[in-house]
Amino acid sequence: MTIGDHLHAFHRLPVHPFPGPDERRDLPEPDGYAWRVSVDVYETEEEWTAAFARFLETVDTTRVRALVVGAWGEAYDSDSGPVIESLLAARDRLPALRAVFLGDMVMEESEISWIQQTDVTPLLTGFPDLAELGVRGGSELLFPALRHTGLRRLTIEAGGLPAEVVRGVGASDLPALEHLDLWLGTPDHGGDSEVADLEPVLSGDRLPRLRHLALRNSEIQDAVAAAVASAPVVARLETLDLSMGVLTDEGAAALLGGQPLTHLKKLDLHHHYISEPLQDRIRQTLEPAGVEVDLDRGDADDDHGADRRYVAVGE
């Protein structure tokens, strides 16, 4: 699996691309869309900061509720620092901003593990009313522990998520957070976290309102599932997502042998390596209780043995 499409919706709003410097088109109402500001690295020499300056002058940004940052140039050579600085410099002109997605790039623009990020927490400290933050790319990503009382959704998509980032998220005080989605990835792409790094998240002590937890896209999915099976946070969840990784019968059996999951609205395990008998047991245990179970195998091909098992998104 690759990241093949740009975001079509973000923060419950359809995404509208801000036109390039030579495009002429009517613009929609500012508060009805998530605005995507991006540059075409192959067809224009415009810098992202210049495109954003045009956006500030063209759109009534006092009404903008969500921003999607696309390609800011050759993202494997330049990090997101100037983008974050530009957003912070314009915060007085973005009083209604509640959501930012940083790095909405597809494979043709940059492989996910090549996207150079930086410390993204200044977006949270600079926008205290931000309710949603999404980040794509784990290279050079930093997320030191912080307190933010407004953030409700945090998504970090990576082919490899550094353990330091996982620990930073776990150590953060996020009392309003309802949705946490971490793509842990593989060691080959910088994903060096271990199950112990997830303990603060799984305890739920700093996440009293968490209802959706996704810990996915990892090679250690069996160990993650075993830890989740006895994690205190699970009792308050509505959805649990352990998809996109190398989840086998070992992890599935651990889930079935752990605390009850019948209170969930959904259990998402798509892209997995679970045998048919274990899949049947999961369905028979949960579906009669009304739990929606996603066991779509997708492109997870188990015909060539354990040494040919892959996460859904790596490169």
Side-chain angles (χ1 to χ4, degrees), residues 29 35 37 50 71 90 130 150 158 164 188 194 204 220 228 234-235 242 259 263 267 303 314:
E29 293 296 320
W35 290 84
V37 182
L130 206 68
E164 184 179 4
D188 289 344
E194 300 177 355
I220 61 169
V228 166
V234 172
L242 302 177
Q259 62 188 301
H263 66 287
L267 175 65
D303 293 339

Side-chain angles (χ1 to χ4, degrees), residues 144-191:
L146 82 166
R147 175 176 170 81
H148 193 284
T149 59
L151 192 68
R152 296 175 61 186
R153 296 176 65 96
L154 175 62
T155 300
I156 305 179
E157 303 173 353
L161 195 59
E164 184 179 4
V165 172
V166 176
R167 290 193 290 265
V169 171
S172 294
D173 190 4
L174 304 171
L177 197 72
E178 299 172 358
H179 179 115
L180 177 61
D181 187 350
L182 301 179
W183 296 18
L184 302 174
T186 71
D188 289 344
H189 300 295

Side-chain angles (χ1 to χ4, degrees), residues 221-242:
Q221 210 69 28
D222 282 343
V224 172
V228 166
S230 60
V233 74
V234 172
R236 72 175 74 124
L237 296 180
E238 295 179 357
T239 62
L240 174 62
D241 186 340
L242 302 177

Side-chain angles (χ1 to χ4, degrees), residues 25 45 75 144 148 185 195 199 210 214 277:
R25 68 174 86 162
E45 296 182 357
H148 193 284
V195 170
E199 193 281 328
L210 194 68

